[in-house]
Structures are given as C-alpha cells and as structure tokens.
Amino acid sequence: MRDGLMRALSRLVLLLVVACQHTALAQEAAVDVAPVLTPAGTTYPYAQQLQWLDSGRFIVGRWDGSMTFFRPPGVGEWGPMLTDVLRTPANRGVEMMAVRDSRTFVTSNDSASITLWRERDAALDDEPALMDRLPRTFRYENFTYDADVGMANSGVFLTQANREYLVTGHENGFVLIWSATRQGRQLAVLKKLDVRSPNPIPSPFPLWNVRDIVAWRDGIVITGAEDGDLVMLEVPRGNVLTRKRYNASAQRGINGLALLDDHLVAVACSVGASDKNTWLFRVRPAELQSQGSVDLKQDLSLPQSFAFRAAMASVGGQPHVFATTQEGLLWTVLVTPDGQLQVQAVSSVDFPIGEAIDYNPATSQLAAVGVLVNLFNVGAPASVNPARRKQAPPQAPSLRREPAPLH
C-alpha cells in the first residue's frame, strides 16, 4: 500500500516538473515567434487648404492628397456632412487651392503641374443628380510649367479689363500669371516672376514659398512669402508696385493672408515674448501701410507661437479677423477704427495644431478644419445701448458651433 502511494506521488511530481518545463518552453517559444512591428510609413491627414465652393459646399485639401467636400448640416444632422471625395492625380498633398466658381477650381498636383477640376453639368448626366452621391462626377486636366518654379502653394482667380487670370505662388519664390479662357477650362502661363526677397529674414529655416495670394482691385494682387516679404503685383503685366517686410524684426516667414476691403492681415510665427504673429496693414495704390499687431498666444511660456491661417469678415458693420494658431485655438479679433487689432474671444477647436479656415459671406458661416471639421454660424455682436456706447467695450461676434449628435 505504502509502495503504491509513493509511486503515485513520484508520478505526480514528475508530471508537475514536465508541466512546468512545458510552460517555460511555451513562453520561450512565444517570445521567439512574437511578431516584429517595423514602421512601414505614416500618412499625415491634416488640412492645409480650405475654401467654400459655393454657399452650400466647402472643400478641404489635406496633406494625404485628398479633397473632401462638405455641406452644412440639415435638420436632424449634427455637423458638416461629407458629400464627395477626390484626390490629386499625383497623390501629393494639396498645398494650393483656388476656386473660380461653384463648379470649377484648381489645386496643386506636383512640382511641375497644377490640376484644373470641373464638375460635370448635372443636366448632361445620364442619371439623376443625387445630392450626396459619392463620388460626384468631376473631370480634371493637368497644366504644366517650368520645374524650377516648384510646387504651387497659393492661388487666386481674378478678372481685369474683361479678361480672366489665375495667379499662383510657388515653393521656390516664383509667381506665375496664367490666362484663363474657355470659361475657365483652359490655362496658359503668361508670365513667370521671381519675387524672392533680396534680403530674406534671418530664419533657421530658409524658405521661399509664396504661401498666400489675395486679389485687391484693379488687377492688383498681394503675395506673402516665407522670406518675410509682402509683394504687390500688377496683373497681367507682372510689375512689382511695392515690396514690404511684414515685420522689421521678423524671424519667421508669412503663413497666410486675409483681405477685406482695404484691410490686409498677415499671420506668421512669433518668436520670443515681444514678437507678434498677426499684423494689420492698410492697402493703398502702390503702398502697404503698417498698422496694428497682436500676439495670439494663450500659453505665454511658449518660446514661439505659430499663427496658421486667417479669414476676415464684416460682422455688425465692423471688420473682424478670425485666426487659428498652433494651440488649436480660434481667435476673434476686431479691427478698430484707428487700425489696431483687439482680441475679443478665443475658443478651442481642435488638437494642438493650426487649422485651415474660410468664411462664407453669403451664409455668414466660418469653416475651420485641422483634423476635426468645424462649422460656425457667425452672428452679429450684441447691441449696446447708445447711451453707453462710448463707455462699453466692443462686443465679440457670436460663434455658434453646430450641435453635436445625441448619444
């Protein structure tokens, strides 16, 4: 009896030892055959360009090469609704976008071409037009230019003396003036202009990109570039009417421009406690008059503050600036009658990243997109009793975000 018990215990101990060894071997084998994750690449999905196509749609151009179309929400919808998706033919990021009309726009494509997009006329389609069909029918054509000009970073359509033109700014400091014929369906380069500054800013990042172009009046456009200069050009001749450093002590270049009547705003990156990232100018024939400036920065400990994009709007009869910054903030700034910039409101709109923005005067709506797609209804400031108007501070416009969905 005792011998049998001892044999049973011996077998049990042996089984326990074997089980432990098996477990150890299994763990060792698991370590040996664990999958190895090696990075294969990362897609950068942030927005670089945003423009309203018409009163009912805006386009977001992203660094992943996509162009996504959104419309404002209808009854029972919670936010901007996706309607169409396109991508650049070269699969490059969308660094430039310029809208001609509700069915025609151009984008960057690669370092030697831009793409003209035209929406097919619904009346000619064989099938009924559906508001949210994906994808909507678009046709495109690439138009080439000299490779030394570089990628298109900015663009604007304008009409002068009954002729239509497209002006594009490029990464190597060049501006191209294009003729636009056949109702915007045909483009041809007329002028190639070198607008690089003879005395660029002393930045550790020496760049020449012409980041933005706005059209003023009488065939005049204004460019803003990474070299720190604002340049006023006459279209179609291409004459430089004036050149101005946006900030005499600038250490970073211009990121974007916004124009309303004779008010021009340039946004950049401030460096240090005394610098500013948002600058106001009064536009005059062959002259850019410096006015007020402000540093849009909430965290005062930041060594620099990057203002990404700006838009301007007349709200309640007063000119306002909307600007986005690297802190993921949207700023509302009043242009005072004496040419100063007065911060009125600030709100969080995204992760810590600057957003592309554009204002639609037809609907009084502001779109702002980084990763999130934000849409605001811009309301007039609250009225002030005339008896207190002189003492009361200016009221900020009302930015009403579209409501989020209920869970």
Side-chain angles (χ1 to χ4, degrees):
M1 178 74 176
R2 183 176 178 180
D3 290 342
L5 180 61
M6 292 301 295
R7 284 195 299 270
L9 288 174
S10 298
R11 289 176 181 175
L12 180 59
V13 171
L14 180 61
L15 287 173
L16 289 173
V17 171
V18 170
C20 291
Q21 290 178 337
H22 176 75
T23 301
L25 289 172
Q27 291 175 344
E28 183 178 354
V31 172
D32 290 342
V33 300
V36 177
L37 301 180
T38 57
T42 300
T43 298
Y44 191 77
Y46 298 135
Q48 177 69 8
Q49 294 289 331
L50 188 156
Q51 291 213 0
W52 285 89
L53 188 62
D54 51 36
S55 62
R57 288 182 296 171
F58 59 88
I59 317 172
V60 180
R62 299 181 183 271
W63 279 107
D64 60 8
S66 68
M67 287 163 281
T68 47
F69 294 63
F70 292 87
R71 61 168 174 80
V75 176
E77 295 173 336
W78 61 88
M81 304 302 292
L82 180 69
T83 64
D84 301 285
V85 179
L86 300 173
R87 66 168 176 81
T88 56
N91 278 329
R92 299 279 297 272
V94 183
E95 297 190 46
M96 180 274 284
M97 183 184 297
V99 170
R100 177 188 181 269
D101 56 47
S102 62
R103 294 175 49 226
T104 312
F105 64 98
V106 297
T107 63
S108 58
N109 185 47
D110 58 27
S111 59
S113 69
I114 60 175
T115 303
L116 175 68
W117 301 85
R118 187 167 179 84
E119 186 174 20
R120 189 175 178 183
D121 191 341
L124 301 179
D125 282 345
D126 295 329
E127 59 181 303
L130 301 176
M131 178 61 188
D132 291 335
R133 186 182 62 214
L134 286 172
R136 192 181 298 266
T137 304
F138 280 85
R139 293 173 174 168
Y140 72 86
E141 183 175 354
N142 293 333
F143 293 89
T144 61
Y145 51 81
D146 294 342
D148 66 327
V149 169
M151 195 82 169
N153 301 140
S154 54
V156 65
F157 281 96
L158 70 152
T159 300
Q160 170 63 9
N162 296 320
R163 294 183 182 272
E164 188 176 359
Y165 302 94
L166 169 68
V167 183
T168 54
H170 297 260
E171 67 174 320
N172 293 331
F174 288 89
V175 167
L176 298 181
I177 299 177
W178 306 71
S179 66
T181 57
R182 295 183 57 223
Q183 297 182 325
R185 299 184 185 187
Q186 187 67 38
L187 301 174
V189 176
L190 298 178
K191 295 278 185 179
K192 175 183 174 181
L193 309 173
D194 184 347
V195 298
R196 289 176 291 184
S197 174
N199 180 33
I201 58 173
S203 170
F205 315 102
L207 301 172
W208 300 104
N209 305 67
V210 181
R211 290 295 184 193
D212 215 345
I213 304 177
V214 291
W216 186 44
R217 65 187 189 208
D218 302 325
I220 292 174
V221 300
I222 303 165
T223 69
E226 289 277 9
D227 60 19
D229 281 3
L230 295 163
V231 179
M232 183 184 288
L233 298 170
E234 184 182 27
V235 177
R237 292 194 295 173
N239 297 344
V240 175
L241 301 179
T242 190
R243 176 187 292 270
K244 186 181 185 69
R245 179 62 44 85
Y246 83 95
N247 168 14
S249 58
Q251 299 181 57
R252 301 290 187 271
I254 296 169
N255 298 323
L257 302 175
L259 182 70
L260 177 67
D261 300 326
D262 296 336
H263 302 291
L264 174 71
V265 165
V267 291
C269 180
S270 60
V271 180
S274 62
D275 199 4
K276 307 292 191 295
N277 59 16
T278 305
W279 299 77
L280 178 67
F281 303 86
R282 173 76 72 172
V283 183
R284 291 288 184 257
E287 185 181 9
L288 296 170
Q289 300 174 353
S290 296
Q291 295 192 300
S293 59
V294 66
D295 197 24
L296 303 179
K297 180 170 64 175
Q298 193 170 71
D299 183 354
L300 300 182
S301 68
L302 290 174
Q304 63 180 31
S305 180
F306 187 96
F308 184 62
R309 283 285 189 269
M312 294 195 71
S314 178
V315 185
Q318 296 178 307
H320 285 79
V321 180
F322 301 106
T324 57
T325 60
Q326 71 180 59
E327 296 177 274
L329 300 175
L330 171 63
W331 299 76
T332 301
V333 183
L334 172 70
V335 177
T336 65
D338 60 348
Q340 300 303 307
L341 294 175
Q342 185 178 103
V343 174
Q344 293 190 296
V346 60
S347 57
S348 178
V349 289
D350 211 331
F351 309 104
I353 182 174
E355 294 203 332
I357 60 174
D358 195 27
Y359 177 73
N360 187 340
T363 61
S364 298
Q365 290 184 311
L366 181 76
V369 180
V371 176
L372 306 179
V373 181
N374 297 286
L375 184 64
F376 297 90
N377 296 315
V378 181
S383 60
V384 177
N385 188 313
R388 301 179 56 235
R389 189 174 299 278
K390 290 185 179 180
Q391 294 79 25
Q395 300 296 303
S398 168
L399 295 183
R400 302 189 309 278
R401 195 192 302 263
E402 292 295 340
L406 298 175
H407 296 287

